[in-house]
């Protein structure tokens, strides 16, 4: 069996400057924090596609991403989705203009998405409420 040689046997470690690890073209992007306007789109026709929703919102500005929510078991659409726009003003204009607009025979419910509420972890199962238990007195 071989003996393990520790890192000290290879000499001192030189730490690299983080700017050497990231290409110059990406360095400015790394420091920018860009918050997207997340928009809830509800009451969608079940046959509505991401492309249809994207085209609808692109009338008001740049659309970063559209995601349609599907049922995890069946894979069928759930009738709502989200649209992310990088510009707050354009997002606000889209919300104001598209809320109540008809798409595929249904009036859309469009508003700024609320942050998802933290979900509890699993609940515990349990055995339901009480049920007597104590010692019984003899009948005779």
């Amino acid at each position: 069996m071989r003996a393990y040689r520790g890192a000290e046997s290879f000499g001192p470690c030189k730490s690299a400057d983080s700017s050497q690890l990231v290409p110059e073209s990406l360095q400015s992007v790394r420091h920018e924090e860009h918050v997207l306007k997340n928009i809830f789109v509800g009451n969608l026709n079940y046959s509505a596609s991401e492309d249809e929703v994207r085209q609808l919102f692109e009338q008001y500005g740049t659309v970063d991403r559209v995601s349609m929510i599907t049922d995890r078991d069946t894979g069928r659409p759930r009738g709502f989705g989200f649209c992310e726009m990088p510009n707050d003003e354009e997002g606000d204009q889209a919300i104001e203009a598209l809320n109540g607009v008809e798409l595929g025979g249904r009036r859309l419910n469009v508003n700024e998405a609320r942050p998802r509420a933290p979900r509890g972890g699993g609940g515990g199962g349990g055995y339901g409420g009480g049920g007597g238990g104590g010692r019984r007195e003899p009948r005779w």
Side-chain angles (χ1 to χ4, degrees), residues 11 14 17 19 23 26 30 43 60 64 79 85 88 97 106 112 138:
K14 295 181 182 175
D17 179 14
S19 63
L26 296 178
R30 181 182 60 175
N43 202 31
Y60 301 94
D64 191 57
M85 298 181 79
D88 273 353
R106 300 182 77 166
E112 188 167 355

Side-chain angles (χ1 to χ4, degrees), residues 43-84:
N43 202 31
L44 284 167
N45 188 320
Y46 295 113
S47 64
S49 69
E50 286 185 11
D51 287 335
E52 279 181 292
V53 175
R54 178 179 294 276
Q55 288 173 3
L56 196 61
F57 278 84
E58 281 179 339
Q59 297 173 33
Y60 301 94
T62 306
V63 173
D64 191 57
R65 182 170 64 158
V66 172
S67 52
M68 307 291 278
I69 307 304
T70 56
D71 184 270
R72 91 177 82 140
D73 296 329
T74 64
R76 291 182 180 161
R78 294 195 50 202
F80 69 95
F82 296 91
C83 178
E84 293 179 350

